[in-house]
Amino acid sequence: MSPHDGPGHDHEHDHGPHPYQPDIEDSGYTERMVMAQAVEELLIEKGIITADEMRAQVELMDSREPALGAKVVARAWADPAFKQRLLEDVNKAAAEMDIDTGHIPIRAVENTPDVHNVIVCTLCSCYPRLLIGLPPDWYKSRAYRSRTVREPRVVLAEFGTEIADDVEVRVHDSTADLRYMVLPMRPAGTDDWDEDRLAELVNRDSMIGVSLASEPK
Amino acid sequence: MTIRRHHDMGGLDAGTVEPVEHDYAIWEKRVDAIVKLMSTEDRPYLSTDELRRGIEELGPGVYDELNYYERWISSATNLMLEKGVFSVKELGRKMADVESRWQAAGAKPQ
Amino acid sequence: MSAARFQSGDTVAVSAAYPPGHVRTPYFIRGKSGVVDSIAGAYPNPEELAYGRDGMPALPLYRVRFKQTDVWPDYAGPANDTVVIDLYEPWLEPTS
């Protein structure tokens, strides 16, 4: 039994030296899936990477999920000094909370009563993955990548988000070396809430900017 | 002459954003892991911009036909071939080997 | 890196250039004018990195803010909407 078995982890039953891949056996494989498996095996056989490194890397990405970003946002809501540091450098601020977001710089853009921010990558699909995990499919879709820079309010409405006309909608096209996340506005009626409770209001889409933070129930 | 490349789609007409998502499959996570492991300081085989360039050069047809991680492994594999990490022959032999193993285990092509 | 040529608040125009290779300046913003919001640091040139070179010297990278109504003449939203794009210095020109 591998120590990594269990909920939230990929099961890798022992079929000789090669991992069993239930997704492929269940739904059929494509040429690129074969290519991926072949490349991995070649790199391991040549000693360029190890199976342990592969496992660790997959586990690292599995550990990156919107809840991590939510914790950071909740801290920023609760602690103005932390918020200031977050707005200067997300990687450094996250490190204070023992969240290692790697070497690609992540910046936060703050929603205010006057500005609503939304993130897109028109050229590929850049995303603050080491903080909030891999992007949803729609973020990578042609429709989102094409239209968000040109008719952001229409796209936001498709997500059920209406922004008043006197609020500036500011689209960030993350084309280069930085990744962006939105620091959503703290919902009203949460003044006496602690960070754990606040974090539950921070959904993934609010950190992309297509939604607002959830309203307290 | 104004060249607009296929991946550079900001502002074009496109349909409604369908809020689709899926849990990443194991093979997708492994492609992600291969690329990350091959672009570290001590294994500088793939840079982000090389990978992006390779994806852009897949061309309009293939770009849209393949899904996200299929594009990634295509680009990464081409770059590793260019850099001599493995040879075309090794790759071909290994792919045939993988496919026959999977078929023996009951898997079928999509 | 060389000293940054532009400062926050400067008005800049994006080159109306259309080279065939790997670039990180979106098509839709070429030829448009905006205002430097901030300098995001200096990074190796992606147009060199993409072809296996080291991309040095590093290039200043700017966060440039554009009014949507300047980018899209038929923009349907309010006039104060904006788009912010990260652009490398060689793509920017001063405006008179």
Side-chain angles (χ1 to χ4, degrees):
Chain A
M1 186 64 156
S2 146
H4 305 301
D5 276 354
H9 293 285
D10 301 324
H11 292 265
E12 290 181 6
H13 304 269
D14 192 16
H15 279 217
H18 305 297
Y20 170 84
Q21 299 206 3
D23 53 325
I24 289 169
E25 301 206 0
D26 293 346
S27 58
Y29 58 84
T30 65
E31 184 186 324
R32 262 66 178 199
M33 291 184 199
V34 174
M35 181 183 276
Q37 180 69 22
V39 167
E40 178 183 336
E41 290 180 18
L42 282 173
L43 295 177
I44 291 172
E45 284 166 21
K46 287 173 178 289
I48 298 171
I49 63 174
T50 67
D52 281 346
E53 286 175 315
M54 279 294 291
R55 201 171 297 123
Q57 181 64 33
V58 168
E59 281 176 11
L60 171 71
M61 283 317 297
D62 274 343
S63 73
R64 301 303 141 141
E65 51 180 11
L68 275 186
K71 277 172 66 175
V72 171
V73 168
R75 170 76 53 95
W77 284 347
D79 177 348
F82 179 82
K83 181 173 101 175
Q84 210 46 49
R85 296 196 294 279
L86 182 74
L87 290 172
E88 280 159 23
D89 186 331
V90 172
N91 309 70
K92 263 194 205 162
E96 293 178 29
M97 301 175 73
D98 292 324
I99 301 169
D100 179 0
T101 52
H103 65 279
I104 297 180
I106 304 175
R107 296 289 176 264
V109 288
E110 182 185 15
N111 283 351
T112 68
D114 300 319
V115 179
H116 178 86
N117 296 282
V118 57
I119 314 296
V120 64
C121 174
T122 62
L123 296 177
C124 41
S125 307
C126 297
Y127 191 77
R129 38 186 283 149
L130 277 169
L131 182 61
I132 61 176
L134 298 173
D137 290 345
W138 56 259
Y139 184 85
K140 303 182 285 185
S141 70
R142 181 163 280 275
Y144 186 77
R145 287 170 52 192
S146 299
R147 291 177 49 231
T148 303
V149 285
R150 180 172 186 140
E151 42 181 13
R153 288 172 186 268
V154 183
V155 170
L156 290 174
E158 287 165 17
F159 284 89
T161 304
E162 302 280 350
I163 303 297
D165 276 0
D166 60 350
V167 175
E168 171 189 337
V169 169
R170 190 178 293 171
V171 180
H172 300 263
D173 189 355
S174 47
T175 46
D177 290 274
L178 290 88
R179 304 291 176 266
Y180 294 93
M181 66 172 288
V182 173
L183 174 58
M185 275 198 290
R186 178 174 178 162
T190 59
D191 287 354
D192 55 348
W193 288 32
D194 65 16
E195 282 181 36
D196 287 346
R197 227 175 138 199
L198 287 170
E200 290 173 17
L201 301 178
V202 186
N203 57 75
R204 178 198 63 204
D205 290 0
S206 71
M207 293 182 280
I208 303 173
V210 294
S211 298
L212 309 178
S214 311
E215 289 298 320
K217 291 196 185 77
Chain B
M1 193 159 78
T2 62
I3 296 170
R4 178 171 199 151
R5 303 182 79 211
H6 183 69
H7 68 281
D8 186 354
M9 59 185 73
L12 295 178
D13 289 336
T16 306
V17 179
E18 303 292 343
V20 288
E21 43 196 297
H22 77 292
D23 289 333
Y24 283 92
I26 296 168
W27 78 268
E28 294 177 295
K29 295 178 184 181
R30 302 183 86 88
V31 170
D32 196 272
I34 290 169
V35 169
K36 291 301 155 193
L37 291 176
M38 294 300 281
S39 55
T40 59
E41 217 163 272
D42 52 338
R43 276 184 297 246
Y45 294 97
L46 306 171
S47 74
T48 300
D49 283 289
E50 284 176 302
L51 198 71
R52 288 167 170 164
R53 189 255 297 176
I55 289 170
E56 292 158 15
E57 288 177 355
L58 293 172
V62 176
Y63 188 97
D64 286 325
E65 186 185 309
L66 298 184
N67 71 29
Y68 186 73
Y69 278 109
E70 288 181 323
R71 298 199 287 259
W72 272 44
I73 193 62
S74 301
S75 176
T77 302
N78 282 338
L79 287 165
M80 288 188 273
L81 285 169
E82 279 176 24
K83 295 178 182 210
V85 178
F86 44 72
S87 69
V88 170
K89 189 174 175 185
E90 287 172 312
L91 178 63
R93 211 155 42 192
K94 182 60 87 179
M95 284 179 67
D97 176 39
V98 167
E99 187 167 18
S100 63
R101 259 189 284 130
W102 282 357
Q103 288 188 345
K108 293 188 171 52
Q110 273 178 19
Chain C
M1 84 177 251
S2 51
R5 183 180 177 198
F6 304 107
Q7 298 177 354
S8 299
D10 285 357
T11 303
V12 292
V14 184
S15 304
Y18 301 90
H22 174 82
V23 303
R24 297 303 290 177
T25 302
Y27 181 95
F28 73 86
I29 211 64
R30 300 185 204 168
K32 310 293 185 188
S33 292
V35 175
V36 174
D37 197 85
S38 60
I39 302 175
Y43 297 89
N45 184 351
E47 297 170 22
E48 293 288 311
L49 288 176
Y51 299 94
R53 297 186 288 273
D54 69 6
M56 299 309 275
L59 301 174
L61 179 68
Y62 298 89
R63 307 258 297 130
V64 183
R65 191 177 337 170
F66 302 83
K67 292 172 66 174
Q68 288 280 29
T69 49
D70 287 344
V71 179
W72 317 104
D74 60 347
Y75 185 70
N80 59 347
D81 285 358
T82 57
V83 56
V84 181
I85 308 186
D86 294 356
L87 297 163
Y88 300 91
E89 189 170 275
W91 277 89
L92 301 178
E93 299 158 5
T95 54
S96 46

